Amino acid sequence: MTVSVDQAMQVFAPALPLAVAYSGGADSTALLHACAQRWPGQVVAIHVHHGLQAAADGFAAHCRASCAALQVPLAVVHVDARPRAGQSPEESARHHRYSALVEQARSAFAQPVASIALAQHADDQVETLLLALSRGAGVAGLAAMPAQWQRDGMDWCRPLLRVGAPDIRAWLKAHHIAWVEDPTNTDPRYTRNRIRAQLLPVLEQVFPQFRDTFARSSAHAAHAKQLQQDLAQADLQVVGVPPNIKALQQLSTERQANVLRHWLLHFHQTTPSAAQLQELLKLIAACRTRGHHIHLKVGYGFAVRKGANLGWYNP
């Protein structure tokens, strides 16, 4: 069930020192203030300057002033978030943001941080689930965003994932804390913004508990996702890295698809579309002779046959 900011912080127990990804917006502002109040001297902030809009310099200036007032060390890092060929702007920005957070967390402060906190909340989780449904996503997409995970040798967490967006802004107003508004958050060209402005108010009227029930569905999908990952890891031990084509052919079509998605994501950081994966499975099934050729666009690169194995490269 959804909780208040204070309730969420009571059960949040990160490894310290803690870095907060701080954009200057309402959500990360609430998270930074709550963390700085609870663990004074153990919290730092990282602001990622994407340079994608005119207001970005103003966001950075606001973050510097806020962190100075809180006596929280701040690192501002500039990134080139322009997408690669075949990569969406959102995917590119997310990739650069995570890379920048890791780099700064390791090197920008007097003491390397142990945990990184992100400020996504319950409404973000609902939007993520609805976007996944609109794209026909599988279990991994329907699992939406995890509350805790490990990546690049450190702990990551989303302590506000059970807090609704209205509760966060009410908390900020009650504590007389200022934040900045990103003008792109109301731009109707972005699907997520249309969901927020048009769908969530209707869901609130028809299904008042939608944040809780949607979160339960995502939790069920997350359990199924973990089972898929466990099976993929076991199958990868059999087919090898890179995958052996004959060994792949011994698996069911569903397990082939599962292990290929796992291999592409974890070893090449790319995700095939459903159509690409189906075509790749057809090519693998037909690959019965030494001279059979495989060269297929998969993700932002190409899957190819390399002798007895399946390879992938990004030109």
Side-chain angles (χ1 to χ4, degrees), residues 240-251:
V241 178
N244 178 270
I245 292 173
K246 286 187 177 180
L248 281 170
Q249 291 170 342
Q250 302 307 307
L251 300 176

Side-chain angles (χ1 to χ4, degrees), residues 51-220:
L52 296 176
Q53 55 177 302
D57 288 339
F59 298 160
H62 171 85
C63 291
R64 289 190 179 96
S66 297
C67 287
L70 284 172
Q71 295 185 322
V72 169
L74 171 69
V76 177
V77 55
H78 293 250
V79 299
D80 181 356
R82 289 174 295 183
R84 293 174 291 187
Q87 190 179 38
S88 71
E90 294 83 1
E91 182 184 2
S92 175
R94 183 168 56 251
H95 171 76
H96 286 90
R97 182 165 58 250
Y98 275 91
S99 297
L101 289 172
V102 170
E103 180 182 354
Q104 295 300 307
R106 286 175 173 165
S107 62
F109 305 101
Q111 185 178 2
V113 306
S115 305
I116 298 178
L118 308 177
Q120 285 96 351
H121 48 69
D123 290 48
D124 291 325
Q125 186 77 309
V126 170
E127 293 163 15
T128 300
L129 176 59
L130 290 173
L131 280 169
L133 286 168
S134 72
R135 295 166 180 162
V139 165
L142 300 182
M145 297 181 289
Q148 294 178 326
W149 73 104
Q150 288 189 326
R151 174 176 173 172
D152 297 308
M154 63 184 64
D155 296 332
W156 296 73
C157 39
R158 294 184 174 100
L160 303 183
L161 208 52
R162 295 173 57 207
V163 183
D167 295 321
I168 291 175
R169 290 173 180 261
W171 186 89
L172 288 168
K173 291 176 181 178
H175 289 80
H176 308 289
I177 299 171
W179 69 90
V180 293
E181 292 286 359
D182 186 339
T184 64
N185 285 341
T186 57
D187 189 336
R189 291 177 297 175
Y190 296 100
T191 305
R192 188 178 285 271
N193 292 342
R194 296 197 299 275
I195 290 174
R196 186 178 306 134
Q198 301 174 31
L199 289 186
L200 296 195
V202 175
L203 284 171
E204 188 86 61
Q205 293 178 0
V206 180
F207 304 111
Q209 303 301 316
F210 74 95
R211 293 179 180 87
D212 296 332
T213 55
F214 282 25
R216 284 203 299 272
S217 291
S218 288
H220 294 322

